[in-house]
Amino acid sequence: MNAASPAPRRARVRAPELVGKGGWLNTGGEQLTLAGLRGKIVILDFWTFCCINCLHVLDELRELEEKHRDTVVVIGVHSPKFVHEADHQSVVDAVERYQVHHPVLDDPELATWKQYAVRAWPTLVVIDPEGYVVAQHAGEGHVHAIARLVEELEAEHGGKGTLRRGDGPYVAPEPVAGDLRFPGKALVLPGGNLLVSDSTRHALVELAPDGESVVRRIGSGERGLADGPAEVARFSEPQGLALLPDGTVVVADTVNHALRTYDPATGLVATVAGTGRQWWQGSPTDGPAREVDLSSPWDVAWFEGRVWIAMAGVHQLWTYDPAAGTVAVAAGTTNEGLVDGPAEQAWFAQPSGLAAAGERLWVADSETSALRYVERDGEGYAVRTAVGTGLFDFGHRDGAAGQALLQHPLGVTALPDGSVAVCDTYNHALRRYDPAAGEVTTLATDLREPSDAVLVDDDIVVVESARHRLTRLRLPEEAVRVEAVAHRTQREATAVAGGKLLLDVVFQAPAGQKLDTRYGPSTRLLVSSTPPELLAEGAGQGSDLRRELVLADGVAEGVLHVSAMAASCDDDPANEYPACHVHQQDWGVPVRIAPGGAERLPLVLAGLDG
């Protein structure tokens, strides 16, 4: 198996220069070059702000950046998936929203992405002080390996005299005043006030019914995980809010991977689910709520006697039972995509908005640009799709639901007439889906990244996240007419030969570690395709990271969905309890059949493709 095969640790590959039409952020106007950074260890983080895995890596990198700030320069290379993400101001907003404290290159045309042959978000590339690429990692869970490599590079280049210590090129932007900064979700409290998650400032804000006057702030404003009175409690980029029958509010504390409660009567904040650690494959998926890890809960809703959780970080829905004090997976397999059916077999892609309405739980499934729902099916639940087709098709098109298009929706709101309002975030619009007619219309445009909406009397109050405010709209009787626009993800398809194709996931365990085989195979590979007919042979799950696929005759193009995982542990026989790490990544690789196309498809999970 190639996962265990050795590879050269220091292949001498010169790092291509950094090019991006959008220019540089967080540099005080300076145009950076790799030549100008010679002497520093450079870590390129290829990311896009819609991607939950990319947001996880941003958080993973924070400690490394701080510990090695005099030798390491992290550079974010923003490489958009959605059309909205290619807009420069949207990148500026995202850098502030997610508190990115390093230089960012805005690369809307994927020029640098192509130069480095990147195939997935997120991807990390390590460049040594002499300007050579020494490692590449796709997905999450690699920072421990990069930290060890950084220490090796510091020692090596410190000894050679090629390491340059000192401050990096990061220049912090000026802070901006205001009561809200990138608010996420909202709800109406029983007394009529509005509660808003002030995500970037790590707090909740209670507003008067006018949606502007601040009644109180809940949370110190410092990132952290601390319970207690409103003025000392700490959150980390909170998002979803739901009112429980007893009057308390449950909060999706996203970056803390936790559920918190806030009691409006006492002002107290408490943690009710999650450990503060991120869930990884192999971790428990049910049990006592305070003992089970969660992964980026983005929204919450009270439905059928439990709190349902949009677990964006693992593409699932979970539930929290306050009476029993337990959590459990309710729907989704952790595979990313759009697959309907029994809840335990369904696929989601970063579910980010929930709304309960009668016997249905509506879901804004952001990465598939879809509106979906959960409903009872016999003794269990089923997942169905109302609008949306998959990971790569999006746009702004009204009409019959089967051909309508959204673009990365984050919020959904049940309306009194049985229809559903969708915060169509990257289209800056409020859309409406009517289940009775099977039609999608546009209610309002010129909203700036709407992320949630709540009903107040006959009006709808929209959280305009990128305008840092709540906007009150009268629910229109007639739809707004918009010109239909359809898009596909702009990544170029890989030309592959027809027939046999060798899929080769490259993984080299970090220095000082080995594959963890104590309890069976330490690697996993899951392969599928869109359309399913693309693969004549090779779909399904196995433990070998190298697999021969057979592409079917008569299918000219499609997408290969590849999910890989590898577990490595410290290689020290004297250590009875070695530290272990999980490396994982999902790829969606567009392919087209072409004469003379590639017969091998390498995907780098960790290491370098020899």
Side-chain angles (χ1 to χ4, degrees), residues 16 25 33 89 104 156 172 240 290 352 376 427 480 556-557 560 595:
L25 297 143
T33 65
Q89 184 56 47
V104 173
E156 176 185 340
R290 291 296 308 275
S352 302
R376 280 283 183 184
N427 279 326
V480 176
E557 62 180 4
L560 291 175

Side-chain angles (χ1 to χ4, degrees), residues 84-352:
H84 169 64
E85 293 173 310
D87 172 64
H88 181 70
Q89 184 56 47
S90 299
V91 181
V92 173
D93 288 345
V95 168
E96 181 190 351
R97 179 195 296 268
Y98 297 115
Q99 299 180 319
V100 180
H101 293 162
H102 52 245
V104 173
L105 175 64
D106 181 10
D107 183 17
E109 296 177 347
L110 302 182
T112 296
W113 166 287
K114 294 171 186 174
Q115 287 272 48
Y116 282 82
V118 175
R119 294 185 182 275
W121 296 279
T123 291
L124 296 168
V125 175
V126 182
I127 302 169
D128 74 12
E130 294 180 293
Y132 292 94
V133 174
V134 292
Q136 181 171 328
H137 303 265
E140 303 177 51
H142 300 293
V143 170
H144 72 283
I146 293 175
R148 177 170 293 198
L149 177 58
V150 164
E151 292 173 355
E152 293 177 1
L153 292 171
E154 287 176 339
E156 176 185 340
H157 290 273
K160 291 170 60 176
T162 51
L163 183 69
R164 177 163 53 91
R165 293 183 178 272
D167 292 339
Y170 169 67
V171 178
E174 290 293 322
V176 182
D179 294 327
L180 299 173
R181 203 69 190 163
F182 298 104
K185 304 288 185 179
L187 64 75
V188 181
L189 294 170
N193 285 351
L194 293 158
L195 188 67
V196 184
S197 55
D198 194 17
S199 302
T200 297
R201 291 193 175 139
H202 314 298
L204 312 179
V205 180
E206 185 176 339
L207 301 173
D210 63 9
E212 297 180 5
S213 305
V214 176
V215 176
R216 66 169 134 175
R217 297 188 69 85
I218 301 95
S220 69
E222 297 291 324
R223 184 192 294 271
L225 178 55
D227 292 338
E231 62 273 13
V232 301
R234 291 189 176 195
F235 299 91
S236 188
E237 299 180 33
Q239 286 284 342
L241 307 167
L243 191 66
L244 301 185
D246 65 3
T248 60
V249 176
V250 64
V251 182
D253 195 7
T254 305
V255 177
N256 275 328
H257 309 296
L259 296 189
R260 319 288 293 284
T261 55
Y262 163 61
D263 186 345
T266 64
L268 291 176
V269 174
T271 302
V272 295
T275 63
R277 297 183 301 270
Q278 183 183 340
W279 186 93
W280 288 99
Q281 290 286 352
S283 300
T285 55
D286 60 74
R290 291 296 308 275
E291 299 175 16
V292 177
D293 299 339
L294 308 181
S295 183
S296 297
W298 205 276
D299 203 7
V300 281
W302 182 254
F303 178 64
E304 295 210 334
R306 291 174 290 171
V307 175
W308 286 64
I309 310 164
M311 203 73 77
V314 285
H315 317 300
Q316 290 180 311
L317 304 182
W318 288 41
T319 59
Y320 162 61
D321 184 340
T326 56
V327 292
V329 173
T333 65
T334 76
N335 294 322
E336 184 179 13
L338 193 154
V339 175
D340 289 341
E344 64 276 9
Q345 299 174 20
W347 292 22
F348 293 94
Q350 216 168 297
S352 302

Side-chain angles (χ1 to χ4, degrees), residues 563-603:
S563 178
M565 184 193 77
S568 62
C569 294
D570 291 344
D571 187 9
D572 182 0
N575 186 353
E576 186 178 356
Y577 302 104
C580 297
H581 306 274
V582 175
H583 316 254
Q584 65 182 55
Q585 173 62 6
D586 297 331
W587 291 268
V589 184
V591 297
R592 58 181 175 83
I593 312 303
E599 297 180 357
R600 173 178 175 264
L601 178 61
L603 301 176

